[in-house]
Amino acid sequence: QVQLVDSGGGSVQAGGSLRLSCVASRSMYGSYCMAWFRQPPGKEREGVARIYTGSDSTYYDDSVKGRFTISQDNANTFYLQMNSLKPEDTAMYYCAAATSSGYACYLGSQLIDFGYWGQGTQVTVSS
């Protein structure tokens, strides 16, 4: 079992930055795909970024590429640095974890059964 606790959300103006954190109850080093998802109001949940803990390889949705950075610290804490925020980034953000191959993590979050989830942290970007 793994518990994930995510935090760091808040309210910012467009163009601002936030850093989300996700702390895992144990080391996630090895064959794990860690991801950040978001769910905007009235919309479906979508994956925004992934990191494969064994290789530190990172992957991004086109909507956040160049603005968001996913990273890990000692395979226990994961971050989503969000810069140049836009109003359309407003959403509840969740971290998630899954046992995965590197190839599956590369292919995309829709192919992975993420069994562990944080409780979510709200990000609101005003124009």
Side-chain angles (χ1 to χ4, degrees):
Q1 277 289 64
V2 177
Q3 283 77 48
L4 303 176
V5 179
D6 41 34
S7 63
S11 297
V12 296
Q13 291 192 325
S17 298
L18 283 172
R19 189 176 79 159
L20 306 184
S21 299
C22 175
V23 179
S25 57
R26 61 169 175 80
S27 174
M28 304 300 290
Y29 181 76
S31 303
Y32 291 97
C33 189
M34 303 296 296
W36 285 96
F37 288 79
R38 67 185 179 186
Q39 187 164 17
K43 297 185 178 180
E44 292 187 356
R45 187 173 61 199
E46 59 185 10
V48 296
R50 305 179 304 284
I51 185 167
Y52 190 65
T53 60
S55 65
D56 215 30
S57 298
T58 58
Y59 312 99
Y60 299 93
D61 184 82
D62 286 345
S63 64
V64 305
K65 201 171 293 184
R67 300 188 298 122
F68 290 11
T69 303
I70 188 171
S71 62
Q72 62 174 327
D73 182 9
N74 293 325
N76 169 255
T77 303
F78 301 86
Y79 303 101
L80 186 67
Q81 178 67 43
M82 305 186 295
N83 298 328
S84 302
L85 282 161
K86 305 176 181 179
E88 51 264 43
D89 294 318
T90 294
M92 183 71 80
Y93 283 72
Y94 302 88
C95 65
T99 303
S100 169
S101 68
Y103 188 55
C105 194
Y106 157 73
L107 287 178
S109 57
Q110 68 275 14
L111 300 178
I112 299 172
D113 180 15
F114 286 92
Y116 305 106
W117 292 85
Q119 79 284 3
T121 185
Q122 177 68 38
V123 172
T124 302
V125 185
S126 58
S127 56

